[in-house]
Amino acid sequence: LPAGLSQWFPALEVLDVSGTGLAELGAELLALPRLHTLLAKNNRLGGPGSLPKGLGQAPVGRSLRVLNLSGNRFAELPPALLGLRGLQSLSLGGNRLHGIPPDIQELRSLEFLYLGGNFITSIPPELANLPSLSYLVLCDNKIQSIPPQLAQLHSLRSLSLHNNLLTYLPREILNLVHLEELSLRGNPLVVRFVRDLTYNPPSLQELAGRTVKTRNVPYAPSDLPENLVRYLSLASNCPNPKCGGVYFDSCVRQIKFVDFCGKYRLPLMHYLCSPECSSPCSSASQSSTSQSESDSEDEASVAARRMQKVLLG
Amino acid sequence: MEQPVQTETWKARSLEELIRILHRIFAEDKVSVEEVQELMESYESNPEEWLQYAKFDQYRYTRNLVDNGNGKFNLMILCWGEGHGSSIHDHTDSHCFMKILQGNLKETLFEWPEKKGNGEMTKKSERVLRENQCAYINDSIGLHRVENISHTESAVSLHLYSPPFDSCNTFDQRTGHKHKVKMTFYSQFGERTVC
């Protein structure tokens, strides 16, 4: 970037340096208080120092709304980005990302997140803490599973998951009522019944966590180390209506196929807190009464019908 | 035995001229697929001429009507953001021409599923169409999926459908099951259509 950029063009609002071969964006950027859109795609950014230090605290850090870094060489989300509290749109498509840092939740204003065409293998549940996220693109990666917490993204309107390594989806995905677009093609989605998957007994930490949550043991951030406070916030509720329990990492997993009006069969993963629990779609005892099965079947199929118009192709 | 259609080699020097020649061609009783395809390919994309129709949507590709061909055809511009793609679909017994105006689009051809099909649909072929190339498909050729596989560039394509149609079938690649859908326009003649 030319030196003195912010002195020559202090009112700059949009800067497009795409396809210029830049290997770093320097401090010249920092003093542009009106810059809301920065397009730097198809460059050679990605090494340490690609983005200037203090980006989040600088005037440009408060004004920036749209940042496009697609087609570069980032192997990890640059930490300098995380201070951009006002950022609404971020694209890192076509880079070399292997994962998404949990700290992504610091981008509180994010509405549009494009991460297609990377090497991402998993999604941190913290992604679900972005309250305004409406467009999430994760296509063309190596993702094997979706954390059920993603169903908390109430504003999500479009979710792109095609060309990954998904074999099933979390049942909670049916809760995304505002979802209008969902792409799942090019995933090895399981098509046949899968027996109960192996159950790893819960660790002491998990058992303690479950007790704290189910007995409503009060605690404040000052009572516990930060990592345990975060751990407790990741509790998931057991879907068994008779259970009311929670689980963290240790759960029974069952794949249940949900029919979309007899046309599509989506494999949804049910998580239960213990082998003694049962999914809402089967009764506790082995002999299932057709009544209870059809009741919970209805609940799933109503939600499924809502999603049906979304799930095309 | 049908008389061979009198074909000419047209060169459209602008989008306006392309539309004028299309009106002339489609005024006849018989239209040659090769003639239309060559005409579409001959037009060298000039963004200034079509930018007013190219309205993008953040979440999915858009269909923007340019000309309704006196009822004989529909000419529209489709705008594809990064990663946007269509489902596998048919063309309701119509001819479909697709010309790339900007960027690239991947076209994957599929066989029609078996009547009692309950298995994965068969891919016939795939190719990436480059700027100014024009592809043609109809139901006897097969079904296709069109997608912008770029994560950095958007794409714009010019489509001609004759006769015009507003519904088609989409197909689930994993099972071959089909589902009828109504198609709508994001904008018509450069004006955003509010639904």
Side-chain angles (χ1 to χ4, degrees):
Chain A
L1 291 175
L5 181 62
S6 49
Q7 282 146 334
W8 286 96
F9 303 108
L12 201 59
E13 294 182 25
V14 176
L15 178 61
D16 186 350
V17 291
S18 302
T20 55
L22 278 175
E24 64 166 56
L25 295 171
E28 297 81 15
L29 208 50
L30 297 177
L32 289 166
R34 307 272 292 272
L35 192 72
H36 57 70
T37 299
L38 175 58
L39 309 174
K41 51 183 200 175
N42 298 324
N43 283 306
R44 294 183 305 160
L45 302 166
S50 295
L51 296 179
K53 281 197 173 58
L55 182 60
Q57 294 70 41
V60 75
R62 286 188 291 277
S63 59
L64 212 54
R65 298 280 169 267
V66 176
L67 179 58
N68 190 330
L69 295 170
S70 60
N72 280 289
R73 303 168 185 188
F74 287 100
E76 59 160 19
L77 198 114
L81 271 195
L82 297 170
L84 297 171
R85 304 280 158 148
L87 197 66
Q88 290 170 347
S89 168
L90 174 62
S91 175
L92 276 159
N95 276 278
R96 302 173 188 176
L97 301 176
H98 283 267
I100 306 168
D103 290 338
I104 193 145
Q105 62 184 337
E106 292 180 27
L107 295 172
R108 308 290 304 149
S109 309
L110 212 57
E111 294 170 21
F112 178 110
L113 180 59
Y114 193 109
L115 295 172
N118 281 286
F119 303 107
I120 297 170
T121 52
S122 71
I123 302 169
E126 287 81 357
L127 192 59
N129 293 338
L130 294 171
S132 311
L133 200 64
S134 60
Y135 185 56
L136 177 59
V137 179
L138 294 165
C139 62
D140 295 296
N141 276 291
K142 307 273 176 214
I143 299 168
Q144 294 178 25
S145 70
I146 307 291
Q149 290 87 351
L150 275 205
Q152 287 158 27
L153 288 168
H154 298 299
S155 312
L156 205 62
R157 282 187 48 188
S158 178
L159 177 58
S160 165
L161 290 168
H162 59 271
N163 299 332
N164 274 290
L165 299 172
L166 297 170
T167 47
Y168 58 82
L169 298 172
R171 172 184 186 276
E172 289 82 355
I173 203 136
L174 296 176
N175 296 341
L176 289 169
V177 286
H178 293 295
L179 202 64
E180 290 172 14
E181 304 288 334
L182 170 65
S183 64
L184 287 171
R185 64 182 184 278
N187 279 287
L189 292 176
V190 169
V191 292
R192 282 192 306 278
F193 175 72
V194 177
R195 302 218 144 268
D196 291 350
L197 302 162
T198 49
Y199 170 61
N200 288 320
S203 60
L204 286 179
Q205 177 172 291
E206 166 119 19
L207 288 173
R210 290 188 185 197
T211 307
V212 167
K213 283 292 188 184
T214 52
R215 304 263 175 103
N216 283 315
V217 175
Y219 64 93
S222 50
D223 298 325
L224 297 168
E226 201 190 303
N227 64 314
L228 288 181
V229 174
R230 187 154 97 189
Y231 180 81
L232 286 172
S233 70
L234 293 176
S236 300
N237 292 309
C238 183
N240 180 356
K242 297 193 184 76
C243 172
V246 299
Y247 62 89
F248 293 85
D249 313 301
S250 168
C251 51
V252 177
R253 300 181 301 159
Q254 266 181 12
I255 291 192
K256 170 96 185 152
F257 289 91
V258 175
D259 241 8
F260 281 29
C261 301
K263 289 198 171 104
Y264 310 97
R265 295 180 77 232
L266 258 207
L268 299 182
M269 179 69 93
H270 291 248
Y271 296 90
L272 303 162
C273 63
S274 78
E276 285 74 47
C277 266
S278 58
S279 128
C281 302
S282 68
S283 57
S285 59
Q286 279 310 335
S287 60
S288 49
T289 64
S290 56
Q291 182 64 31
S292 65
E293 262 208 18
S294 62
D295 277 353
S296 40
E297 200 61 56
D298 282 345
E299 171 218 309
S301 60
V302 164
R305 242 178 284 275
R306 207 165 45 207
M307 286 278 282
Q308 188 211 1
K309 67 181 177 73
V310 166
L311 190 76
L312 294 172
Chain B
M1 200 56 165
E2 283 183 8
Q3 290 282 50
V5 181
Q6 195 69 302
T7 61
E8 308 206 19
T9 310
W10 302 99
K11 166 83 183 158
R13 290 161 301 186
S14 72
L15 182 60
E16 252 183 40
E17 186 166 63
L18 172 64
I19 296 172
R20 251 180 294 137
I21 300 175
L22 283 169
H23 275 255
R24 287 242 300 268
I25 293 178
F26 279 90
E28 304 294 321
D29 292 329
K30 289 196 175 57
V31 178
S32 147
V33 165
E34 288 77 25
E35 189 176 9
V36 175
Q37 194 165 2
E38 260 181 40
L39 169 66
M40 299 268 290
E41 244 181 62
S42 78
Y43 165 59
E44 279 172 43
S45 171
N46 179 355
E48 270 177 33
E49 292 167 358
W50 47 257
L51 225 40
Q52 56 176 304
Y53 304 108
K55 299 180 190 311
F56 283 81
D57 182 273
Q58 169 164 262
Y59 302 108
R60 47 159 296 147
Y61 74 93
T62 61
R63 305 169 79 243
N64 303 276
L65 184 65
V66 175
D67 191 276
N68 56 21
N70 287 333
K72 296 280 187 70
F73 63 84
N74 266 351
L75 188 70
M76 62 190 78
I77 280 181
L78 271 61
C79 296
W80 314 75
E82 293 89 318
H84 287 177
S86 77
S87 47
I88 303 172
H89 58 272
D90 63 11
H91 297 86
T92 321
D93 294 324
S94 289
H95 302 273
C96 158
F97 299 84
M98 170 170 73
K99 179 199 173 69
I100 313 296
L101 296 178
Q102 177 186 291
N104 301 295
L105 287 175
K106 176 172 161 188
E107 179 194 32
T108 310
L109 287 183
F110 289 87
E111 302 276 10
W112 281 86
E114 304 288 308
K115 271 275 183 250
K116 291 251 161 147
N118 222 326
E120 181 99 27
M121 283 174 71
T122 316
K123 217 183 271 199
K124 264 170 60 161
S125 64
E126 63 182 43
R127 58 175 167 167
V128 175
L129 297 160
R130 311 273 168 207
E131 276 183 22
N132 285 313
Q133 265 190 285
C134 179
Y136 168 78
I137 194 170
N138 66 43
D139 282 351
S140 67
I141 292 175
L143 308 165
H144 72 178
R145 182 197 303 285
V146 180
E147 11 173 21
N148 177 12
I149 54 175
S150 173
H151 299 293
T152 58
E153 317 304 323
S154 60
V156 180
S157 53
L158 181 68
H159 295 235
L160 187 147
Y161 298 103
S162 178
F165 58 95
D166 62 5
S167 72
C168 69
N169 290 302
T170 61
F171 295 77
D172 179 350
Q173 188 171 342
R174 290 181 305 134
T175 59
H177 284 133
K178 69 178 187 211
H179 183 81
K180 184 167 166 183
V181 289
K182 268 220 117 92
M183 295 137 79
T184 56
F185 290 114
Y186 192 77
S187 75
Q188 296 193 36
F189 316 113
E191 301 283 326
R192 175 89 171 89
T193 29
V194 190
C195 331

